[in-house]
Amino acid sequence: MINGTVFNLQRYSLHDGPGIRTTVFLKGCPARCWWCHNPESQSPLPEIAFSQNLCIACGACRPVCPNLLSRESCSGCGACADACPTGARELVGRVMSVEEAMGSVLKDRFFYEDSGGGVTFSGGEPLSQPQFLKALLAACREEEIHTAVDTAGICAPESLLDIAPLTDLFLFDLKCAAPERHREGTGADHAAILENLERLGRAQARIWIRIPVVPGFNDSVKEMEALAALAARVHGVRQVWLLPYHGSWGAKPARFGLEAAQPAQEAMAPSQESLEHYARLFRDKGLDTRIGGA
Ligand code: SF4
Ligand code: SF4
């Protein structure tokens, strides 16, 4: 039996590929993008989220565990969350079998068939759990359910090529064309990501490129021109989606013991005028380009 760690199963998703979809969020990501809206995806393990504003200091969690104050010592067993009467302590991430995940996915089969939708595997970086992902994709293929994999391309090339024949569509995230800037903003190596994108193109994969437009990072004509040139070179790119950054994470990082790493631009979102201009740069390269969620 192959198990994996899932932190969310989102039904009726309209922004992760065509039609109505279920998005399965797998835990674990090697990148550390400062605008990450899913900090709960970063650790590969189940973990406790703590909301100070919900805590009534009742003490019910204290006798349960000596590790309440130490994330390093926490095993993610969830006993303290079970003991908490207010939801201040919440277990995020659950180990599931392929069969269990498919049980949830199959509930909405009618919606997929009716809307041209399917299932999207996202994260985190879903290729952080390559065996689990492959088994889920194979199970969907057996059920004739359309699949999409939302990846940042930060993975072993063999893992990517291994799942390519089972994946109907790749939603491939690109962030920045300048290598140094890319590393500063994401902690990840730009060259390896591009090589993986080109590998997918050569493997005849269907690809939608998704670019978060983030003020203070890549929200400029120069950067978008470079990304458009890059996208135009890759075989198999069917669409490009520009995803406007929505601003602050709020209290989310603190719930997971993480520091907010956003620069001062965090409160801003790109203007509609800029987005339209950027979209034209991509369309000028012959790329079918949209603004908004995909
Ligand atoms: S999840 Fe388990 S190990 Fe972690 S703090 Fe809660 S009770 Fe302790
Ligand atoms: S059980 Fe929940 S509400 Fe009570 S002290 Fe612990 S975290 Fe706070």
Side-chain angles (χ1 to χ4, degrees):
M1 186 188 288
I2 299 178
N3 292 336
T5 307
V6 173
F7 71 92
N8 193 10
L9 261 153
Q10 188 175 301
R11 298 166 74 188
Y12 314 120
S13 173
L14 298 173
H15 301 293
D16 288 318
I20 298 173
R21 312 187 71 81
T22 293
T23 304
V24 183
F25 292 90
L26 274 57
K27 228 167 168 314
C29 183
R32 292 293 178 266
C33 306
W34 61 249
W35 59 88
C36 177
H37 278 81
N38 289 332
E40 68 272 44
S41 73
Q42 293 177 0
S43 162
L45 303 171
E47 61 189 317
I48 289 291
F50 175 64
S51 300
Q52 181 75 56
N53 61 327
L54 295 179
C55 177
I56 56 172
C58 68
C61 58
R62 277 184 219 135
V64 169
C65 178
N67 298 326
L68 287 180
L69 299 178
S70 167
R71 288 196 167 266
E72 291 69 37
S73 311
C74 172
S75 68
C77 72
C80 60
D82 291 342
C84 177
T86 66
R89 298 186 76 87
E90 182 193 354
L91 183 66
V92 177
R94 195 157 74 81
V95 176
M96 295 181 114
S97 67
V98 171
E99 291 73 19
E100 203 178 348
M102 286 303 294
S104 296
V105 158
L106 288 169
K107 282 182 194 158
D108 291 329
R109 174 179 214 128
F110 169 80
F111 293 106
Y112 313 148
E113 287 170 358
D114 221 38
S115 68
V119 179
T120 298
F121 298 100
S122 183
E125 168 53 70
L127 278 146
S128 297
Q129 300 186 53
Q131 294 310 319
F132 185 51
L133 177 61
K134 185 180 177 185
L136 289 166
L137 289 165
C140 287
R141 179 61 57 89
E142 205 157 295
E143 296 287 346
E144 298 184 3
I145 294 173
H146 180 275
T147 55
V149 171
D150 178 16
T151 178
I154 310 170
C155 57
E158 307 78 49
S159 301
L160 190 64
L161 293 177
D162 197 31
I163 63 157
L166 294 168
T167 305
D168 296 311
L169 176 67
F170 282 90
L171 309 177
F172 199 106
D173 301 344
L174 280 186
K175 273 104 179 182
C176 177
E180 276 307 307
R181 187 91 185 106
H182 189 280
R183 184 167 284 284
E184 278 168 26
T186 69
D189 180 38
H190 176 64
I193 291 170
L194 289 190
E195 283 165 19
N196 273 340
L197 177 58
E198 282 163 4
R199 275 188 190 95
L200 275 186
R202 290 194 295 275
Q204 313 291 326
R206 293 173 67 89
I207 303 167
W208 290 6
I209 286 180
R210 304 211 294 185
I211 300 170
V213 182
V214 184
F217 179 64
N218 63 3
D219 184 11
S220 71
V221 170
K222 185 177 169 205
E223 185 54 44
M224 291 297 150
E225 278 177 342
L227 284 168
L230 199 155
R233 283 204 308 269
V234 178
H235 180 78
V237 175
R238 310 297 167 114
Q239 290 180 11
V240 175
W241 286 81
L242 302 180
L243 313 178
Y245 174 67
H246 292 304
S248 173
W249 296 316
K252 219 173 181 188
R255 293 181 68 216
F256 295 90
L258 299 169
E259 303 233 335
Q262 292 155 298
Q265 295 89 344
E266 58 95 7
M268 297 159 56
S271 71
Q272 190 59 31
E273 193 184 355
S274 299
L275 291 165
E276 296 289 353
H277 183 57
Y278 300 155
R280 280 197 295 278
L281 298 175
F282 285 83
R283 290 179 191 132
D284 287 348
K285 300 275 183 200
L287 295 160
D288 177 358
T289 304
R290 329 270 171 106
I291 297 168

